[in-house]
Amino acid sequence: METERVQNIASTFEETIPEAFIRSEHEQPAITTVHGVNLDVPVIDVSDPDEEKITRLIADASREWGMFQIVNHGIPSEVISKFQSVGRAFFELPQAEKELYAKPPGAKSIEGYGTFLQKEVEGKKGWVDHLFHRIWPPPAINNRFWPKNPPLYREANEEYVKYLHGVVDKLFKSLSLDLGLEEHELKEAVGGDELTYLLKINYYPPCPRPDLALGVVAHTDMCSITILLPNDIQGLQACRDGQWYCVKYIPHALVIHIGDQIEILSNGKYKSVFHRTTVTKDKTRMSWPVFLEPPSDLAVGHHPKLVNEKNPPKYKTRNYGDYCYCKLNKIPQ
């Protein structure tokens, strides 16, 4: 076993937590959260027949917030419930069975069951275990990291992906059109048919000192767009005007994060959202983000139609794989 899992640590500590999980005062959620106020993140009904309105709302939210929630997105409630149920069941398996899917030591890929993902400047740890694996396209799928139990795991994931395509296309189309591009151009710029859907299941067990710990440290997502499905336990926070606020949970809504690659492609017109995750004392929080990733060898930079003498490039062009490596290891780029 590469490291002790947070799920096991949580079962052995009742009043305290290990020092490695205690955040400095500038990060501790009890000190840094604006309490009693939910951030009024835009909520967009994407079933509205007025497509120009939807395009405008998605683009405005992406410029001003970098985050929004969508409802009436076309993914049936029963598909979402089944998808969440099998993910939850995986983390309820015996520890030895979960370890069968552990990320191999020294592996370059982040796929697999694990606990620690990125280097942190202060050497602290997040109160979370996770399972990563790619769910689309079929050539990118590594069955080694797809759990065989529960038995319906694969079926539930494949059903969710089938409905997710429509959401993905609507998001890229809206963002592309608002930039004055053809509806297909932004998606093509991040890989087109080779765009990878990377699923991460986050498992945040109850924490004896949620005032001191974070589930996931403050960050922006490296990918193009994140489509996140949380459970009903509050935990997602976003930074607004230098302050941390809770993002209101809406049942079966999808939380959309603009990621770094869309900010880069749009030359800063859309903003990747700075966010983090808190934990609770007596309940398990889970979330299912799907990161829409370019191929690792694809060079991503500003879209050529979006720069000119008055609006010069603001970002470097980098291979996506190199970009991720540098960001995870805190290497300047």
Side-chain angles (χ1 to χ4, degrees):
M1 189 183 298
E2 63 161 25
T3 187
E4 189 170 9
R5 305 304 184 189
V6 175
Q7 193 172 0
N8 295 335
I9 294 172
S11 67
T12 56
F13 284 77
E14 294 183 359
E15 296 182 1
T16 62
I17 57 175
E19 179 67 27
F21 294 93
I22 298 176
R23 294 283 162 178
S24 60
E25 289 191 358
H26 72 271
E27 286 187 300
Q28 290 177 13
I31 297 173
T32 57
T33 299
V34 178
H35 296 281
V37 180
N38 282 331
L39 195 62
D40 195 17
V41 171
V43 178
I44 302 171
D45 181 351
V46 293
S47 69
D48 192 316
D50 188 343
E51 291 197 9
E52 289 187 5
K53 177 184 175 183
I54 293 174
T55 293
R56 184 176 68 253
L57 291 173
I58 287 175
D60 287 350
S62 300
R63 293 173 193 270
E64 298 170 18
W65 294 82
M67 169 188 276
F68 51 96
Q69 300 199 57
I70 61 173
V71 296
N72 297 323
H73 41 64
I75 305 179
S77 296
E78 59 271 20
V79 171
I80 289 176
S81 296
K82 186 176 174 182
F83 175 65
Q84 291 182 310
S85 177
V86 295
R88 186 165 54 249
F90 170 78
F91 282 93
E92 294 169 354
L93 292 173
Q95 191 60 39
E97 187 167 357
K98 291 198 288 283
E99 293 296 340
L100 295 174
Y101 303 95
K103 175 185 173 182
K108 293 183 178 180
S109 171
I110 62 174
E111 286 191 280
Y113 171 62
T115 296
F116 306 118
L117 176 62
Q118 62 180 334
K119 179 180 179 181
E120 290 205 30
V121 175
E122 297 180 0
K124 296 297 184 179
K125 299 176 180 179
W127 193 264
V128 61
D129 295 327
H130 59 247
L131 175 66
F132 274 104
H133 63 76
R134 294 183 176 89
I135 55 176
W136 189 264
I141 291 174
N142 186 344
N143 291 307
R144 153 88 171 77
F145 299 112
W146 282 59
K148 292 182 173 61
N149 283 316
L152 293 177
Y153 187 90
R154 177 175 293 276
E155 177 184 315
N157 276 258
E158 289 176 346
E159 187 78 357
Y160 184 70
V161 171
K162 183 174 74 174
Y163 285 98
L164 200 60
H165 293 315
V167 176
V168 172
D169 289 344
K170 186 180 289 286
L171 292 172
F172 275 111
K173 175 182 175 181
S174 295
L175 292 171
S176 198
L177 289 173
D178 191 76
L179 291 172
L181 303 173
E182 297 295 324
E183 62 181 52
H184 57 85
E185 287 189 274
L186 207 56
K187 185 178 179 183
E188 285 186 358
V190 290
D193 291 340
E194 295 182 21
L195 182 72
T196 298
Y197 298 12
L198 176 65
L199 170 66
K200 181 188 184 191
I201 307 178
N202 289 307
Y203 186 92
Y204 309 96
C207 179
R209 294 300 305 271
D211 55 320
L212 302 178
L214 287 173
V216 176
V217 69
H219 66 287
T220 59
D221 292 342
M222 299 179 288
C223 61
S224 60
I225 299 171
T226 303
I227 302 174
L228 181 141
L229 182 65
N231 72 351
D232 59 352
I233 307 302
Q234 183 68 53
L236 179 62
Q237 293 190 336
C239 188
R240 188 74 168 168
D241 300 324
Q243 301 288 321
W244 286 103
Y245 297 87
C246 293
V247 177
K248 183 181 178 181
Y249 167 72
I250 300 174
H252 287 178
L254 298 175
V255 184
I256 310 300
H257 297 167
I258 297 299
D260 295 346
Q261 305 311 305
I262 289 295
E263 177 171 329
I264 292 167
L265 272 167
S266 70
N267 205 36
K269 290 185 171 65
Y270 299 136
K271 304 296 183 185
S272 57
V273 62
F274 199 46
H275 59 287
R276 69 182 188 183
T277 303
T278 60
V279 293
T280 63
K281 187 166 187 174
D282 55 0
K283 294 181 179 179
T284 295
R285 182 175 186 271
M286 294 186 69
S287 66
W288 290 256
V290 173
F291 304 105
L292 306 180
E293 294 197 315
S296 62
D297 59 353
L298 182 70
V300 181
H302 62 272
H303 196 284
K305 292 184 179 180
L306 301 178
V307 295
N308 51 43
E309 290 184 3
K310 295 182 179 179
N311 184 33
K314 299 176 182 177
Y315 305 88
K316 295 179 182 177
T317 297
R318 297 290 304 274
N319 278 8
Y320 181 65
D322 293 341
Y323 180 91
C324 292
Y325 178 84
C326 290
K327 186 163 183 176
L328 288 172
N329 290 283
K330 300 294 185 286
I331 300 170
Q333 55 182 333

